[in-house]
Amino acid sequence: MPLALLALAISAFGIGTTEFVMMGLLPNVAADLHTSVPTAGYLVSAYALGVVVGAPLLTAVGSRLPRRRMLVVLMAVFTVGNLASALAPGYGTLLAARFLAGLPHGAFFGVGAVVAARLVDEGRGARAVARMFLGLTVANVVGVPVATLLGQHLGWRATFAVVAVIGLAAMAALVVLLPELPAERRHSGGLRAEVGALGDRRVVLGLLTTVLGFAGVFAVYSYLASMLTRVTGVSAAMVTVVLALFGVGMTLGALIAGPLTDRAPRPTLYGALGALAVVLALFPYAMRHTATALVAVVLLGLVGFATTTPLQMIVMRHARHAPTLASASNQAAFNLANAGGAWVGGATIAAGLGWTSPAWAGAGLAAVGLAVAVLGGRLGAGDEATGTRVIASSREEAREDAVRESSASPC
């Protein structure tokens, strides 16, 4: 795998850290800014809203930029957003800064996934995308726990200052390691084609699968700390360790899903969603004992994140000649899944069904997501192979253009 994927993974590490660390810092932020924890929770929503708005908007605005330049600009916005978070004088300013930090998230992963697939030989695109997403999973294993401890001991502002430094390092890595790939041009009809691709019913079904399937994961993850302390009996100090195990499962899921998706994207997606539904259905029983709860948390991270690579690749392949906006929109769909899953899980708890009831709701969401995925597979039979050939053609064009540019200029 090319070193350029390392630059994408470093960027993903920074993005993943800032996305999830706020959940652990809410009490500290609330106390420092003299507000309640529920009110501080809107800071998580502000970031997610930034992702949903920024994914299609920034992708469209930068559709004609060379890919490296586009990714560096997106990381610059990310860095400014985190620096603004560290320096925010009050709650309102911090809310705006978190929205700004979230804006480039979806566009970066959307463009980055297309770039990763173009950097490698045909038949290895999913593995390349999974390598980029490894940065996101490692953030949950290392970045979020360390950043949370840093925020608890040195103040939450120090956490976002460090994330801004990671953003600067990611920008440098992108400039040094990533070749300057031009925007897709030969087979693309420009922004109009990108927008038109979103109207394809197979792309719509792919995005809907992402929202429904991944919502099942966040229906549980959003309330996992409460389940561990109130049902399993895990101490509050151990919750961070258990959440890191969820990150370990995510990493394993990314490593497993990459090569499987290259061989058979649809069966990989069906298997991951089916396994997710089973794990979620059994989750309430596993949470009764510490040992089984730990295993269940790892399995949830594994099967949940195993869905991300095939979902990303399938949406890109259905979009065919205009995959970038569809890829970015899929990242917005993941964040809608986060918000929707958290809402569904909270509704079951509020209805008095118990702390583990979100898992059963999540199992239902995963099952519906699987049904939508099967429907999309029937409608798109034979089309994904064509989409793969289009991406491969785009890859060859990018290499030819990169050679011409390097021959014309030493920069």
Side-chain angles (χ1 to χ4, degrees):
M1 289 289 178
L3 274 176
L5 293 177
L6 177 61
L8 294 173
I10 293 172
S11 303
F13 176 83
I15 293 173
T17 299
T18 202
E19 179 182 16
F20 292 104
V21 75
M22 181 59 81
M23 299 173 187
L25 294 178
L26 285 181
N28 307 78
V29 174
D32 185 55
L33 298 181
H34 308 292
T35 188
S36 66
V37 171
T39 299
Y42 290 125
L43 295 168
V44 177
S45 302
Y47 183 93
L49 180 61
V51 178
V52 173
V53 172
L57 179 62
L58 296 186
T59 302
V61 169
S63 61
R64 296 187 181 277
L65 285 178
R67 301 294 84 180
R68 182 178 67 188
R69 194 178 309 168
M70 174 69 169
L71 291 171
V72 171
V73 169
L74 290 172
M75 283 309 298
V77 176
F78 168 84
T79 302
V80 170
N82 280 280
L83 183 60
S85 298
L87 299 175
Y91 174 79
T93 311
L94 181 57
L95 195 70
R98 295 310 296 155
F99 177 81
L100 177 62
L103 279 175
H105 176 127
F108 185 92
F109 279 117
V111 175
V114 175
V115 168
R118 293 170 68 186
L119 288 171
V120 297
D121 295 330
E122 185 175 358
R124 299 178 66 85
R127 268 169 281 197
V129 172
R131 293 293 175 88
M132 179 187 70
F133 281 129
L134 274 179
L136 186 63
T137 66
V138 173
N140 280 272
V141 179
V142 179
V144 172
V146 171
T148 301
L149 289 174
L150 178 68
Q152 291 171 346
H153 288 86
L154 298 181
W156 60 269
R157 297 178 187 276
T159 294
F160 294 112
V162 169
V163 173
V165 172
I166 295 174
L168 290 173
M171 291 169 63
L174 290 168
V175 170
V176 173
L177 298 178
L178 191 67
E180 185 63 286
L181 302 175
E184 298 80 8
R185 55 176 177 77
R186 189 174 301 171
H187 295 288
S188 176
L191 181 57
R192 181 177 298 179
E194 293 278 358
V195 174
L198 295 180
D200 189 307
R201 59 181 178 176
R202 294 160 300 185
V203 174
V204 172
L205 288 174
L207 297 176
L208 185 58
T209 302
T210 298
V211 172
L212 291 170
F214 213 70
V217 177
F218 270 82
V220 171
Y221 183 78
S222 302
Y223 305 97
L224 186 55
S226 297
M227 292 184 198
L228 290 168
T229 55
R230 295 173 180 267
V231 178
T232 311
V234 171
S235 66
M238 282 294 295
V239 169
T240 301
V241 176
V242 179
L243 293 179
L245 289 178
F246 180 82
V248 171
M250 291 173 65
T251 304
L252 293 173
L255 289 171
I256 292 169
L260 290 177
T261 302
D262 277 328
R263 295 189 186 98
R266 280 287 170 184
T268 300
L269 178 60
Y270 298 158
L273 286 172
L276 176 61
V278 172
V279 169
L280 287 169
L282 297 176
F283 208 82
Y285 305 101
M287 295 302 287
R288 296 175 182 176
H289 306 282
T290 302
T292 54
L294 297 180
V295 173
V297 168
V298 174
L299 288 177
L300 178 63
L302 191 156
V303 297
F305 210 76
T307 65
T308 58
T309 300
L311 281 168
Q312 193 74 26
M313 295 303 294
I314 286 169
V315 167
M316 287 164 55
R317 290 171 182 177
H318 280 317
R320 298 176 64 180
H321 303 309
T324 307
L325 186 56
S327 178
S329 297
N330 198 46
Q331 294 302 311
F334 277 120
N335 275 266
L336 287 175
N338 297 355
W343 181 84
V344 170
T348 64
I349 294 172
L353 299 178
W355 284 102
T356 58
S357 60
W360 284 319
L365 288 169
V368 175
L370 176 58
V372 174
V374 171
L375 176 60
R378 291 181 177 178
L379 290 176
D383 183 64
E384 286 164 20
T386 303
T388 302
R389 289 194 293 272
V390 171
I391 292 173
S393 175
S394 176
R395 182 187 301 115
E396 292 304 318
E397 292 172 9
R399 290 176 179 171
E400 292 170 6
D401 288 339
V403 169
R404 283 195 294 270
E405 288 180 9
S406 63
S407 300
S409 170
C411 300

